[in-house]
Amino acid sequence: MLRNITFRNWKSFRESKLHFDQLTILIGTNASGKSNALDALEFLSRIANSTDIMTALAGDGVLAGIRGQDNWASYRNGKSFSLSVLIGTDDEKTDYQYSITVVINDGVAELSGEELSRIKYQGSNPRTLRLFWTDPPEPGAPGIIARLYNTKSGTKRPLRRNLSALSQLEIDPDIRSEIVEGIRFVARDLRQIFILDPKPNEMRDFTRLSENLKKDGSNIAGVLMALKPEDRNEIQNRLTKLAAKIPEKDISKVWAEYVGRHKADAMLYCSEAWTPGEEFEVDARGMSDGTLRFIAVIGALLLRPRRSLIVVEEIDNGLHPSRSLLLLDAINKLAKEREIDLLITTHNVALLDSLPPRLVRSISVATRTDDEGASIITSLDDIPLLARMIAEGEVGKLAKEGRIEQTIRMLPNG
């Protein structure tokens, strides 16, 4: 699973790093760089899925472009950017370091450099093995040379520059087993980055049956109905149990149901209990935005595969502040149970003030530097005065007053 991501000349970042825990809470004022950090994860997920580098940034007729597209992908409209991730394995003794550099010239984004290394920890001395790396490309050349580990100078492989080397080498049948293992491991974890942006209006219609949840949550009913009955019942029961805590009215059941005689479409339903012994069935068109967003978030945690990283912006959007901590507690428990990492953003002062001490250290703060306005991300664990600050006031209050940002700017790299 992802341990950290480093941004170099990516959008508003000159150079910074975001560390991941099981639950990572990213806060910051508007335009501080939070969304830009999430966009980097989306870009990496796309190129690992063999999406053309230019399309991964600018989009096409099917795929939406990343905010700013290629024009603002590089810091201050520069010509290149680099992203690097450290990915951990199950045995805790092996990590993989993957990095990619993209150059942008005349409106064309293409590969400029890429590398994958395996890191094995033996005592206090990690051993690093470069599995593949690329030579600097010739100016204007359509191709790039990758070198594959062979105990010498590296076996040469000519590759295209419009796709990541990771996705091209993954289908190469003639490479060493340790390289195959590293590529498959990293590609899998990057593909399983899931940026969830629930859109209640899209969830209110019926949808086709499908295997994979869309990133706007619109087809959750279709995904539920495509499951085996026993799996569907289990997930619907868990949705019901958790959803009952959220709205002001009692929700006694959440389920999906076929729409039409051909059983190719489905819709979301719930039963509301306003008075004891009396229930009223409502389809998705009558559900509140907050309830639908909650169902999408919990549904993603129940439906996504193990080792996924689920990212949700404004996790509590549409929820009453008194219900936000219930949602956070529910998703944190589910994430641990299903071995899923969560990255969420929030502006909710009440939610931050309600966090138990064990979760306060999961907070990272996006700010802008005073000298050039570059975005940086700082973990609260890296703030020496953290304990004193928390003793003086709740995290939400400190964030609202700007005192956390002020303290970060006093740090050597702030």
Side-chain angles (χ1 to χ4, degrees), residues 123-191:
S124 58
N125 299 314
R127 298 176 59 185
T128 300
L129 175 68
R130 287 207 299 175
L131 299 176
F132 77 75
W133 63 97
T134 57
D135 292 338
E138 295 292 332
I144 191 169
I145 299 297
R147 293 182 180 269
L148 313 183
Y149 165 70
N150 65 357
T151 73
K152 299 178 182 178
S153 59
T155 303
K156 292 184 178 181
R157 281 289 194 279
L159 301 175
R160 296 156 59 189
R161 295 183 65 187
N162 66 317
L163 295 168
S164 68
L166 192 76
S167 62
Q168 294 180 72
L169 292 173
E170 188 178 20
I171 59 175
D172 190 325
D174 188 27
I175 55 179
R176 296 172 64 111
S177 60
E178 56 263 68
I179 304 175
V180 171
E181 182 181 4
I183 289 174
R184 288 179 177 172
F185 194 95
V186 170
R188 180 195 64 185
D189 275 21
L190 292 181
R191 286 174 186 146

